[in-house]
């Protein structure tokens, strides 16, 4: 096993000959040549271990120290330090602590919330997102972050799946609220971030915050007793079906919060967060990470490529968070003078493609790019701690001891892991793509999803290599090269990523089959050159004698789906292909893509400039490939 050699120093020369110096020098070179990642691995491993040790200490002492506890402590220690900067306004640690106290007091007074009750939060990026989150956490509530792009039925599904007592809605999302309000369960009490309301039976929060006391709520309300209890629900699509609420425990928040620190950020850093807070990247890694460091973060309502570097300069930003698309949008901006003139030294995120990674470094200077991999609900993560372009991280013997994982063979046709004749899964060879699975045990628990137990069970694989073992199925295919670097390959199952969001194919097809001329819809993602993720495509079977109404189709998808989930391509087929197990066949469709030169079925393209689906001609296809048409 390679890992051993890497972490064991080479043998020391047997005697103290005068050539010792030369020996040591050559040792250094041998080490560089043969084990180039030794120090990087060691440093990273030590960091992971010291952090793990600290948590273990807390556990032994019976102390439960959460990230929120850390925050409250910081608010005493450095009350005047900026915690959040939003649209030019500074919110100090004390400000945020006090406003979140006020919110806790309002709910304490007006609602009979018990410890462990769920509150759903539908809000864009703004300081009050954090105030409400912290305030409710101080009451010991579980906060569910809703994706504000999701609407109608899907949003109702999300709300009901976590069974909240209360729904808090941002002032700019009242339109979305209006759509679901009549169908919302009667026992959900709705609060809006406004001073007055025209909705019946909806409470207003802003006026009450102003009137509330800023004193902390009683300690016994918020003090956590178990690191493994649920504190947040974050919606992910898993690999199947509608969005599911992943259960996030204190433990996962603590782990997430250590991310920036593990990558080398410090309390002097200023972190720029442009990703939506309802995702774990921005909330756990970004906000949590900022607290762990005692640093400052600059929060942006919505990512803007044209304002990005200006903001970085204005606020002296030193650390940015990215997803692959964000880097590409920045690279696509017209070149300006002095683009390297900024203080950003670290970029932390995932999904940047190699070519974009190189271009980004060339254009914007020596920013250290730190890729990581980790599913919100997953129990494993990787970090590129050595700086290999394109890799999400590296593993070695010791890492695998602490975070046991494997890459197993996968059958693309059947869409399931391959089992050999004895019923066991098999590991792939180095250099081959395999499904990433990580062992579930007491040290690496999987907390599952809220509500339906079936979803949780679906994410687990049992009897993988031996009787009684249990693995978390990440749904991601990875490749491990001969130097043990890991590369993201593809995502399997019924979801794909587009514009940094997960799209659940069943959610899209459910919306399409509501149309009366559609018999069946099979939704999948297709690769488009120079784009991260997969663009949505729907293969349709029309009802007998019906014709495709493109106008209605367009109206249907833009009304009921978030923009990133609207299928960009349509394909009309005579009959649906099924797999041997009567699942819709996607593999071949994905492979065939959207090229009108090779596909004889009628193809259509969602032309955003025309606000319509149009026939996908060869010319149009060319323009999409060459990037003349922006997707
Ligand atoms: C940014 O840094 C410069 C120089 O260190 C300093 O003069 C300026 O006040 C800083 N700006 C902000 C917003 O902190
Ligand atoms: C990740 O890879 C990049 C690109 O080579 C490198 O610059 C960076 O240092 C790496 N990250 C870390 C944390 O070492
Ligand atoms: C379909 O169209 C054919 C010919 O136009 C007609 O004879 C038939 O009754 C129609 N079937 C249905 C189900 O409408």
């Amino acid at each position: 096993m390679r890992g051993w050699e890497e972490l064991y120093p080479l043998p020391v020369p047997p005697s103290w000959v005068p050539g010792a110096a030369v020996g040591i020098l050559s040792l250094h070179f041998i080490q560089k040549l043969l084990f180039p990642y030794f120090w990087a691995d060691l440093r990273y491993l030590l960091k992971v271990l010291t952090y793990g040790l600290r948590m273990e200490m807390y556990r032994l002492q019976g102390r439960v120290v959460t990230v929120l506890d850390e925050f409250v402590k910081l608010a005493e220690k450095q009350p005047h330090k900026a915690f959040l900067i939003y649209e030019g306004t500074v919110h100090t640690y004390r400000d945020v602590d006090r406003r979140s106290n006020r919110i806790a007091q309002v709910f304490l007074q007006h609602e009979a919330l018990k410890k462990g009750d769920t509150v759903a939060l539908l809000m864009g990026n703004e300081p009050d997102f954090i105030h409400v989150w912290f305030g409710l956490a101080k009451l010991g509530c579980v906060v569910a972050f809703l994706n504000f792009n999701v609407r109608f039925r899907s949003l109702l599904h999300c709300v009901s799946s976590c069974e909240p007592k209360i729904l808090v809605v941002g002032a700019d999302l009242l339109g979305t609220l209006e759509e679901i309000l009549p169908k919302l369960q009667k026992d959900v009490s709705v609060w809006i971030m406004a001073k007055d309301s025209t909705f019946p039976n909806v409470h207003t929060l802003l006026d009450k915050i102003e009137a509330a006391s800023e004193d902390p709520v009683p300690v016994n309300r918020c003090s956590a007793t178990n690191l493994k209890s649920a504190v947040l629900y974050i919606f992910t699509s898993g690999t199947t079906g509608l969005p599911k609420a992943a259960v996030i425990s204190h433990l996962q928040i603590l782990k997430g919060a250590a991310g920036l620190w593990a990558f080398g950020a410090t309390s002097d850093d200023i972190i720029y967060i442009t990703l939506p807070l309802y995702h774990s990247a921005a909330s756990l890694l970004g906000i949590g990470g900022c607290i762990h460091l005692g640093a400052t973060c600059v929060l942006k309502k919505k990512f803007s490529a044209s304002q990005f570097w200006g903001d970085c300069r204005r606020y002296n930003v030193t650390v940015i968070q990215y997803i692959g698309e964000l880097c590409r949008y920045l690279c696509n901006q017209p070149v300006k003078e002095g683009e390297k003139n900024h203080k950003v030294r670290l970029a932390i995120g995932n999904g940047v493609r190699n070519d974009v990674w190189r271009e980004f470094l060339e254009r914007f200077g020596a920013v250290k790019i730190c890729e990581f991999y980790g599913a919100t609900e997953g129990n494993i993560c990787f970090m590129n701690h050595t700086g290999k372009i394109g890799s999400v991280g590296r593993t070695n013997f010791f890492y695998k001891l602490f975070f046991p994982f494997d890459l197993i063979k996968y059958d693309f046709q059947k869409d399931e892991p391959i089992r050999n004749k004895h019923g066991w899964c098999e590991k792939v060879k180095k250099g081959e793509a395999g499904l990433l699975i990580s062992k579930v045990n007491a040290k690496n628990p999987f907390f599952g999803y809220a509500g339906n137990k079936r979803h949780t069970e679906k994410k687990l694989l049992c009897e993988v290599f031996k009787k009684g073992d249990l693995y978390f199925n990440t749904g991601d295919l990875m490749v491990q090269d001969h130097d043990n670097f890991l590369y993201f390959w593809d995502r399997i199952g019924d979801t794909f990523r587009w514009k940094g969001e997960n799209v659940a194919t069943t959610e899209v097809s459910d919306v399409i089959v509501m149309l009366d001329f559609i018999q069946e819809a099979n939704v999948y993602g297709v690769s488009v050159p120079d784009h991260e993720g997969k663009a949505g495509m729907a293969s349709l079977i029309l009802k007998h004698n019906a014709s495709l109404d493109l106008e209605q189709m367009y109206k249907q998808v833009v009304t009921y789906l978030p923009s990133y989930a609207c299928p960009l391509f349509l394909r009309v087929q005579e009959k649906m292909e099924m797999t041997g197990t009567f699942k819709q066949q996607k593999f071949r469709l994905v492979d065939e893509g959207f090229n009108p030169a090779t596909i004889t079925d009628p193809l259509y393209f969602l032309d955003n400039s025309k606000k319509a689906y149009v026939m996908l001609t060869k010319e149009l296809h060319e323009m999409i490939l060459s990037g003349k048409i922006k997707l």
Side-chain angles (χ1 to χ4, degrees):
M1 210 170 282
R2 243 194 102 99
W4 274 109
E5 305 124 42
E6 279 160 9
L7 281 162
Y8 268 92
L10 285 167
V12 177
S15 59
W16 296 104
V17 285
V22 178
I24 287 169
L25 210 65
S26 57
L27 261 185
H28 177 74
F29 283 115
I30 290 170
Q31 184 254 317
K32 274 258 182 276
L33 203 66
L34 295 181
F35 314 111
Y37 308 109
F38 177 83
W39 292 113
D41 274 349
L42 193 64
R43 225 174 328 177
Y44 174 66
L45 203 70
L46 281 178
K47 275 209 145 167
V48 173
L49 287 189
T50 36
Y51 193 68
L53 230 90
R54 215 174 76 197
M55 297 218 286
E56 194 66 10
M57 288 284 287
Y58 288 159
R59 201 181 61 82
L60 290 177
Q61 295 164 359
R63 263 203 311 160
V64 177
V65 179
T66 66
V67 173
L68 187 65
D69 295 336
E70 287 184 40
F71 175 79
V72 172
K73 237 184 267 151
L74 283 169
E76 281 166 24
K77 203 175 110 200
Q78 50 181 43
H80 304 300
K81 177 159 180 171
F83 173 58
L84 276 182
I85 301 176
Y86 180 75
E87 294 181 348
T89 307
V90 174
H91 304 257
T92 64
Y93 273 82
R94 173 181 284 172
D95 292 340
V96 173
D97 187 41
R98 290 195 172 162
R99 191 167 170 91
S100 60
N101 283 346
R102 283 172 187 267
I103 290 174
Q105 294 284 3
V106 172
F107 287 116
L108 198 59
Q109 204 179 344
H110 293 271
E111 296 275 358
L113 282 174
K114 289 193 303 293
K115 230 169 142 164
D117 280 347
T118 302
V119 176
L121 177 57
L122 179 68
M123 206 181 279
N125 279 13
E126 53 179 295
D128 274 338
F129 183 106
I130 291 159
H131 296 136
V132 174
W133 166 19
F134 288 5
L136 288 159
K138 285 176 175 180
L139 290 179
C141 292
V142 181
V143 184
F145 295 161
L146 298 170
N147 175 340
F148 54 76
N149 293 299
V150 172
R151 291 164 54 192
F152 295 104
R153 219 169 55 93
S154 302
L155 182 58
L156 278 169
H157 160 83
C158 291
V159 174
S160 61
S161 71
C162 57
E163 299 174 344
K165 289 270 157 40
I166 292 178
L167 170 65
V168 182
V169 183
D172 52 353
L173 290 167
L174 298 184
T176 306
L177 172 66
E178 198 172 358
E179 294 163 359
I180 62 162
L181 200 53
K183 290 234 171 96
L184 208 57
Q185 273 148 335
K186 293 286 165 282
D187 55 353
V188 181
S189 140
V190 180
W191 289 73
I192 58 174
M193 269 294 166
K195 287 193 173 148
D196 43 62
S197 148
T198 52
F199 299 115
N201 302 324
V202 164
H203 308 274
T204 53
L205 190 51
L206 273 191
D207 50 336
K208 302 190 180 67
I209 294 177
E210 277 166 26
S213 143
E214 60 184 26
D215 293 336
V217 291
V219 174
N220 65 341
R221 270 315 290 240
C222 66
S223 61
T225 44
N226 184 353
L227 276 186
K228 291 187 181 169
S229 55
V231 258
L232 287 180
Y233 291 138
I234 295 186
F235 283 87
T236 73
S237 55
T239 44
T240 53
L242 288 165
K244 284 177 275 297
V247 179
I248 308 292
S249 64
H250 287 297
L251 195 65
Q252 274 157 306
I253 299 190
L254 282 166
K255 283 184 187 171
L260 294 181
W261 167 80
F263 276 128
T266 71
S267 64
D268 295 328
D269 276 311
I270 297 176
I271 299 131
Y272 188 34
I273 301 178
T274 58
L275 306 178
L277 288 171
Y278 60 74
H279 275 321
S280 56
S283 50
L284 305 192
L285 206 82
I287 300 292
C290 182
I291 295 173
H292 185 68
L293 297 166
T296 298
C297 54
V298 177
L299 184 66
K300 185 84 173 170
K301 179 100 200 162
K302 199 164 182 283
F303 166 74
S304 153
S306 60
Q307 294 169 13
F308 192 87
W309 293 110
D311 283 343
C312 289
R313 276 187 282 273
R314 185 167 320 121
Y315 300 116
N316 293 335
V317 168
T318 55
V319 178
I320 59 174
Q321 274 194 294
Y322 69 84
I323 50 171
E325 287 82 354
L326 189 151
C327 296
R328 196 161 49 82
Y329 297 151
L330 292 176
C331 287
N332 285 349
Q333 286 287 300
V335 178
K336 281 194 212 140
E337 236 175 84
E339 284 184 327
K340 294 196 170 108
N341 174 22
H342 57 76
K343 295 191 175 133
V344 177
R345 61 183 190 94
L346 279 179
I348 297 173
N350 48 49
V352 64
R353 291 154 41 104
N354 295 359
D355 49 338
V356 177
W357 188 319
R358 290 202 181 87
E359 190 183 339
F360 188 91
L361 294 178
E362 231 161 73
R363 243 182 98 172
F364 304 112
V367 177
K368 184 166 162 183
I369 297 192
C370 307
E371 273 272 309
F372 71 91
Y373 166 87
T376 300
E377 72 277 41
N379 57 352
I380 182 140
C381 79
F382 300 117
M383 289 177 169
N384 145 34
H385 56 283
T386 49
K388 178 100 162 190
I389 287 192
S391 156
V392 296
R394 212 174 100 79
T395 175
N396 57 47
F397 179 80
F398 283 95
Y399 192 76
K400 276 190 92 161
L401 270 187
F402 292 102
F403 303 98
F405 74 89
D406 277 293
L407 301 179
I408 57 171
K409 291 187 183 163
Y410 194 76
D411 185 334
F412 295 93
Q413 309 273 352
K414 287 200 200 136
D415 230 346
E416 61 192 29
I418 295 177
R419 300 259 178 187
N420 64 20
K421 60 177 189 286
H422 308 293
W424 307 126
C425 295
E426 289 183 359
K427 298 177 191 178
V428 295
K429 291 203 199 69
K430 283 193 177 167
E432 282 173 19
L435 176 67
L436 174 69
I437 57 173
S438 65
K439 195 160 187 145
V440 177
N441 53 28
K443 282 262 177 307
N444 294 292
F446 169 57
F447 295 99
Y449 304 102
N452 201 329
K453 238 182 128 76
R454 216 184 60 232
H455 296 318
T456 303
E457 282 156 13
K458 270 184 132 167
K459 275 306 270 188
L460 295 172
L461 280 176
C462 329
E463 317 269 293
V464 177
F465 300 118
K466 57 173 196 270
K467 253 202 149 28
D469 64 3
L470 191 64
Y471 282 80
F472 171 74
N473 174 0
T474 62
D476 288 326
L477 297 171
M478 295 252 195
V479 178
Q480 181 171 348
D481 73 6
H482 291 276
D483 286 325
N484 294 328
F485 281 101
L486 290 157
Y487 300 85
F488 179 77
W489 190 259
D490 203 354
R491 169 158 290 195
I492 53 136
D494 296 336
T495 66
F496 57 89
R497 265 174 93 81
W498 183 245
K499 300 200 186 260
E501 299 280 353
N502 282 318
V503 180
T505 57
T506 46
E507 183 177 5
V508 179
S509 53
D510 282 356
V511 165
I512 295 175
V513 296
M514 282 156 74
L515 291 163
D516 57 10
F517 51 90
I518 299 289
Q519 174 80 41
E520 206 176 331
N522 185 357
V523 177
Y524 48 94
V526 290
S527 305
V528 186
D530 299 320
H531 286 78
E532 294 78 14
K534 299 274 177 77
M537 182 155 183
S539 161
L540 310 171
I541 309 288
L542 301 178
K543 280 206 176 129
H544 193 57
N545 280 5
S547 60
L548 178 62
D549 184 339
L550 289 173
E551 207 173 309
Q552 245 191 302
M553 174 66 93
Y554 177 83
K555 251 178 71 191
Q556 179 79 0
V557 297
V558 298
T559 311
Y560 289 103
L561 292 171
S563 62
Y564 55 77
C566 296
L568 285 178
F569 304 105
L570 303 178
R571 171 175 181 168
V572 181
Q573 285 190 295
E574 293 285 319
K575 69 178 209 298
M576 193 63 69
E577 292 159 69
M578 294 291 173
T579 66
T581 46
F582 300 105
K583 285 191 282 189
Q584 289 175 340
Q585 174 70 268
K586 294 190 200 260
F587 182 65
R588 208 172 56 80
L589 290 170
V590 170
D591 217 36
E592 286 174 357
F594 58 99
N595 186 354
T598 56
I599 296 172
T600 50
D601 298 326
L603 296 177
Y604 303 92
F605 166 63
L606 193 159
D607 190 336
N608 272 317
S609 63
K610 294 206 176 77
K611 294 197 180 307
Y613 278 107
V614 297
M615 185 66 100
L616 179 61
T617 58
K618 288 184 182 142
E619 294 72 43
L620 213 48
H621 181 255
E622 292 272 290
M623 286 164 79
I624 293 168
L625 291 201
S626 65
K628 283 211 189 77
I629 293 183
K630 293 237 154 39
L631 298 184

